Amino acid sequence: MEKRLSNAAMEGDIESLLQLLQEDPLILHRSMVSCSSDSPLHVSSMLGHLRFVRQLLNLNPELASELDSHGCSALHLAAAKGYLGIVRELVKVDPGMSMVRNQEGRTPLHLAAIKGRVEIVSELVRARPESARVMTERGETALHLCVGRNRLVGLKSLIELNGEDDGMVNHKDCEGNTLLHVAVANNQIEIIKFLFTIPGLDVNAMNNNGFTALDTLKQSPRALGDLEIESILRDAGVLSSKDLHVIAVEWIPSPPKIPRIPKPLVSNKSIESETNSRKPVTKQKHTDWLGRKRSALMVVSSLIATVAYQAAISPPGGVLQADETVDDKGNPLEHPRKAGTAVMAYNQSIEYGQFMIFNTLAFLASLSIILLLVSGLPMKKRRWMWVQMIIMWIAITAQVLTYFISLRHMSPDSASGMLHDVTQISVLAWLGLMGVVFIGNVLRMNLWVLRKYGFIKEKKQNHSTDKEVDNDNEDV
């Protein structure tokens, strides 16, 4: 009997249904308590047999509230498949089923929104307007699902039915993302344009990560429409979280001016506390400057050490691959050559010595800087940074000389004349540049020392100018 009822539901055969009811008037009630998860109403609703569904509801309206093994009602299935007539019949019998969520946390309206069934969405919202506010387990509304699946028509329909409710338009999911966040993350240009036409849209809403829609665009993988989306967002007044923070700080009302207390009435303790309150700002600037310099020195010294190490194990001309004990004529060599030794050491011993001296100097100088930076010693004073910068100048200069020696060794004799002139000019230009940098820093250091110990009196300037002078002195 159950198999015959299932076949009748699959074929939408009303005559077979009536015949089964004559044989067993309780067959529809039995189907509700049987082990089968799909009732005849589920099957016929999923296949779109409107007349069969109407007959079933007339005979047993309780079938409309039955759920299958996935927690779906017949209304879920009909809404997902887009059978408007069946949806109307089911809603008419039991409107409350439009609020029921399946095992995935989705209502019939959610499924219709995902599938883009605009007519179904409209019918369900008209039947139960509050169904539009039901959220999934992730806090998503039907509007979020429309945007996530790029269902622009369904989104417009829901917005019209909800009367452009600000709460719905600006609702956030479990990650704090609004409709605008989701549209930007999915590069949906048309939906973004439509959202900006909705009154009351919060264009600068931030999600749980503190990102606005503009920040979301920058964090998302690059796509072809990124430039157009960014232009649309900026034209609509969307800002980044950093810009919002700056604006918020600028709008903080300034505290009322407190009349200056005469000097005799100010205690030494008050002066000391005021001085201490100012120290962290200077210390912070000092720390930032030192931090930037330390990072730059670490990167450059690591590169120089790598290049110098590679040059030492692979000198110009390479190394011998096998022992050489005889010459080309078969005579034994007075000084046999061993495998793994530098070819340049035998052919041009003086140039090889110069190459290794400068290369070793660059290698050890760069390693010295790395050692000082990672040693953990209290070298956060400016004078220690100057010492490390001087060591860095030595390492760079030695690396330059190593390069020119290698260049001249690897060049053929036919190019030695022109190469000698080019090398000489290049070395002189480099030494001139180093001299200018050295003299400039010496002059700035002397000016700083003279100002610090009062040998040079500064002119009285406003507070902003004093800050600029301090910053220039720190950069020394």
Side-chain angles (χ1 to χ4, degrees), residues 72-131:
C72 293
S73 65
L75 185 59
H76 282 88
L77 304 178
K81 294 297 291 289
Y83 298 131
L84 180 59
I86 296 178
V87 169
R88 287 174 177 170
E89 295 294 331
L90 293 170
V91 170
K92 188 186 305 180
V93 172
D94 191 354
M97 294 307 296
S98 60
M99 306 287 290
V100 176
R101 299 192 302 178
N102 60 14
Q103 290 183 356
E104 296 180 352
R106 293 171 177 172
T107 64
L109 178 61
H110 295 154
L111 296 178
I114 292 173
K115 296 294 184 179
R117 316 295 188 190
V118 180
E119 294 181 348
I120 304 296
V121 168
S122 302
E123 183 66 30
L124 292 173
V125 174
R126 291 192 189 99
R128 290 293 291 267
E130 59 270 27
S131 63

Side-chain angles (χ1 to χ4, degrees), residues 131-160:
S131 63
R133 299 181 178 275
V134 179
M135 296 177 291
T136 65
E137 294 179 351
R138 298 188 68 256
E140 299 169 309
T141 64
L143 297 175
H144 281 87
L145 298 175
C146 285
V147 175
R149 301 309 193 282
N150 199 17
R151 307 296 186 184
L152 178 57
V153 179
L155 177 64
K156 291 181 178 180
S157 177
L158 277 172
I159 293 296
E160 293 174 0

Side-chain angles (χ1 to χ4, degrees), residues 297-360:
L297 287 174
M298 177 61 77
V299 173
V300 177
S301 57
S302 300
L303 292 174
I304 293 177
T306 303
V307 173
Y309 175 80
Q310 188 65 30
I313 62 176
S314 299
V319 296
L320 294 174
Q321 303 299 318
D323 294 340
E324 294 184 3
T325 57
V326 295
D327 57 13
D328 297 337
K329 298 180 181 180
N331 299 322
L333 294 174
E334 183 178 356
H335 301 288
R337 302 176 179 180
K338 295 182 179 181
T341 56
V343 177
M344 184 179 179
Y346 297 105
N347 299 334
Q348 299 179 358
S349 58
I350 297 178
E351 288 79 359
Y352 178 76
Q354 295 174 351
F355 172 83
M356 280 300 175
I357 289 173
F358 290 118
N359 189 68
T360 304

Side-chain angles (χ1 to χ4, degrees), residues 83 107 137 139 183 185 248 320 418 433 436 445 463:
Y83 298 131
T107 64
E137 294 179 351
L320 294 174
M418 180 183 65
L433 177 61
V436 170
M445 184 178 65
H463 185 62

Side-chain angles (χ1 to χ4, degrees), residues 113-379:
I114 292 173
K115 296 294 184 179
R117 316 295 188 190
V118 180
E119 294 181 348
I120 304 296
V121 168
S122 302
E123 183 66 30
L124 292 173
V125 174
R126 291 192 189 99
R128 290 293 291 267
E130 59 270 27
S131 63
R133 299 181 178 275
V134 179
M135 296 177 291
T136 65
E137 294 179 351
R138 298 188 68 256
E140 299 169 309
T141 64
L143 297 175
H144 281 87
L145 298 175
C146 285
V147 175
R149 301 309 193 282
N150 199 17
R151 307 296 186 184
L152 178 57
V153 179
L155 177 64
K156 291 181 178 180
S157 177
L158 277 172
I159 293 296
E160 293 174 0
L161 292 170
N162 284 280
E164 300 176 348
D165 185 5
D166 293 353
M168 291 290 292
V169 172
N170 296 317
H171 178 79
K172 297 181 179 181
D173 60 14
C174 63
E175 297 178 354
N177 292 319
T178 63
L179 301 180
L180 187 58
H181 284 94
V182 178
V184 170
N186 294 321
N187 296 100
Q188 295 163 350
I189 298 177
E190 296 302 322
I191 290 182
I192 294 172
K193 292 179 180 179
F194 170 71
L195 290 176
F196 286 128
T197 64
I198 303 174
L201 177 69
D202 186 2
V203 298
N204 287 313
M206 290 191 291
N207 60 15
N208 295 345
N209 294 324
F211 291 162
T212 63
L214 188 59
D215 298 321
T216 301
L217 177 65
K218 295 178 181 178
Q219 296 295 326
S220 302
R222 299 294 91 189
L224 294 177
D226 283 358
L227 294 177
E228 184 179 357
I229 293 176
E230 183 176 359
S231 177
I232 295 172
L233 295 178
R234 293 191 182 278
D235 291 342
V238 181
L239 303 174
S240 65
S241 56
K242 294 181 180 179
D243 296 334
L244 288 175
H245 178 70
V246 171
I247 293 176
V249 171
E250 289 179 352
W251 277 96
I252 294 177
S254 58
K257 293 184 179 179
I258 302 175
R260 184 179 296 276
I261 302 175
K263 189 172 183 181
L265 299 180
V266 180
S267 64
N268 293 332
K269 188 175 181 180
S270 300
I271 296 175
E272 183 179 356
S273 63
E274 184 179 355
T275 304
N276 292 335
S277 65
R278 294 178 181 176
K279 285 183 179 179
V281 177
T282 305
K283 184 177 181 181
Q284 181 67 29
K285 293 180 181 178
H286 181 72
T287 304
D288 293 343
W289 181 83
L290 286 177
R292 292 194 300 269
K293 293 297 183 183
R294 288 167 63 89
S295 300
L297 287 174
M298 177 61 77
V299 173
V300 177
S301 57
S302 300
L303 292 174
I304 293 177
T306 303
V307 173
Y309 175 80
Q310 188 65 30
I313 62 176
S314 299
V319 296
L320 294 174
Q321 303 299 318
D323 294 340
E324 294 184 3
T325 57
V326 295
D327 57 13
D328 297 337
K329 298 180 181 180
N331 299 322
L333 294 174
E334 183 178 356
H335 301 288
R337 302 176 179 180
K338 295 182 179 181
T341 56
V343 177
M344 184 179 179
Y346 297 105
N347 299 334
Q348 299 179 358
S349 58
I350 297 178
E351 288 79 359
Y352 178 76
Q354 295 174 351
F355 172 83
M356 280 300 175
I357 289 173
F358 290 118
N359 189 68
T360 304
L361 182 60
F363 183 69
L364 294 179
S366 58
L367 287 184
S368 300
I369 296 174
I370 297 175
L371 180 62
L372 291 174
L373 292 175
V374 303
S375 63
L377 297 176
M379 294 186 298

